[in-house]
Amino acid sequence: MNQHSPQDFLASEFDGFEVHVDTDRERADIVLKRPPLNVISMPQREAMRQVFEALDAHDGVRVIVLRAEGEHFSSGGDIKGFLEASPEHVSKLAWNVAAPARCEKPVIAVNRGYTFGVGFEFSLACDFRIASETTLYALPEQNLGQIPGSGGSARLQKIIGITRTKHMVMRAKRISGGQALEWGIATECVADDQLEAATQSLVDELRRFSPLAQRTAKKLINDNEDAPLSVAIEMEGHCYSRLRSSNDFREGVEAFHAKRKAVFRGE
């Protein structure tokens, strides 16, 4: 990928998924496409990581969407692939799956049907999760004599706490999209036929804000996840101070007083 532009790389064919870039809507979609269950292979994880990085560098993209074709988001990983992969390769799995979190741009996961294993882990690494009423979330690795290996239990515990995480991980329990909304895993839960409308609505909402302020907020919140409160407040103050000198902040203030829509340029 280093020898080509992000646009050239994104025009490639990928095994198990497709990439769609719509610069008019400033939206890019990574679409899982290995029917019927959209199983995610070992090589696919690294390719998806590279695509996330390319989309993050794409000037025509403001928001990245991770979704799937068919009635299921993903039943998880290729089980046979775990036995065939080298320890070195397996050790990189969490880094690949964390690609959405490392993106500076906002990333939305759109979940329906089975959202299991690494499919759930990829979704947990995204900033927003829109679930449908058909969604079932699970980390079923205990059924294989294993545990989640790409950040699943760690990210989940940060969101829902130790008791609920043990319920889901140690008992391999499935929870619905509605339950996920109650527990704070899902950002929204909508009827299945409303998934795309809800997704585009969120994309348009995020596009309205300053790209610079969005990047700053995402990094600050992610970095402060493990920080003591005093350090988190200190970092928030530093970020606030830097944004005060930005052109976007000046534009936002001027637009507010002029009662007009702000035009942010990410500067």
Side-chain angles (χ1 to χ4, degrees):
M1 192 179 72
N2 295 333
Q3 298 175 351
H4 305 284
S5 69
Q7 289 86 341
D8 290 339
F9 173 68
L10 293 167
S12 307
E13 288 191 6
F14 301 99
D15 182 31
F17 69 100
E18 295 178 344
V19 181
H20 305 292
V21 177
D22 185 341
T23 55
D24 290 337
R25 295 194 295 175
E26 298 180 300
R27 165 177 169 171
D29 289 54
I30 299 173
V31 186
L32 303 181
K33 194 174 182 181
R34 186 177 279 117
L37 297 174
N38 295 318
V39 171
I40 298 174
S41 69
M42 286 290 186
Q44 182 178 340
R45 301 170 196 227
E46 185 167 357
M48 287 175 63
R49 188 261 304 166
Q50 293 173 333
V51 166
F52 273 112
E53 291 170 355
L55 291 173
D56 209 26
H58 194 303
D59 292 336
V61 173
R62 282 288 313 276
V63 182
I64 303 169
V65 175
L66 175 62
R67 58 183 178 87
E69 282 197 358
E71 61 181 305
H72 299 293
F73 180 79
S74 173
S75 64
D78 177 13
I79 305 303
K80 188 177 179 182
F82 281 101
L83 298 177
E84 296 173 347
S86 68
E88 182 181 12
H89 185 82
V90 172
S91 70
K92 296 176 181 177
L93 295 182
W95 174 257
N96 291 334
V97 173
R102 291 195 303 274
C103 281
E104 292 187 336
K105 298 170 182 176
V107 184
I108 304 167
V110 183
N111 303 131
R112 60 156 50 97
Y114 295 164
T115 304
F116 297 165
V118 69
F120 191 16
E121 290 177 308
F122 261 117
S123 299
L124 287 169
C126 297
D127 304 304
F128 305 94
R129 283 160 292 283
I130 302 179
S132 93
E133 293 171 347
T134 69
T135 304
L136 289 172
Y137 290 113
L139 293 169
E141 287 83 358
Q142 286 285 307
N143 292 318
L144 302 174
Q146 230 337 334
I147 63 170
S150 298
S153 60
R155 292 186 191 280
L156 197 60
Q157 185 171 343
K158 293 288 187 180
I159 297 171
I160 65 175
I162 187 171
T163 300
R164 287 171 171 169
T165 301
K166 285 180 178 177
H167 170 75
M168 289 193 69
V169 174
M170 295 178 68
R171 303 173 71 187
K173 288 292 187 180
R174 303 176 179 184
I175 66 165
S176 67
Q179 185 73 71
L181 180 65
E182 290 183 22
W183 284 7
I185 297 171
T187 309
E188 300 178 45
C189 181
V190 300
D192 197 70
D193 61 1
Q194 292 299 308
L195 263 181
E196 173 51 34
T199 302
Q200 187 58 47
S201 178
L202 180 53
V203 169
D204 290 338
E205 178 185 333
L206 294 169
R207 288 173 59 204
R208 185 171 62 82
F209 300 116
S210 158
L212 181 59
Q214 287 270 290
R215 290 196 299 270
T216 303
K218 176 170 179 174
K219 189 171 191 314
L220 175 69
I221 295 168
N222 283 350
D223 288 350
N224 279 347
E225 182 69 20
D226 300 314
L229 179 59
S230 59
V231 174
I233 292 173
E234 181 81 8
M235 290 305 301
E236 184 178 289
H238 285 304
C239 291
Y240 178 86
S241 179
R242 288 200 301 271
L243 286 175
R244 282 194 63 181
S245 63
S246 71
N247 291 331
D248 274 0
F249 178 65
R250 179 178 297 277
E251 165 64 11
V253 172
E254 291 177 354
F256 175 81
H257 287 294
K259 294 182 170 54
R260 62 172 174 82
K261 183 179 179 180
V263 180
F264 296 117
R265 304 188 185 281
E267 302 169 347

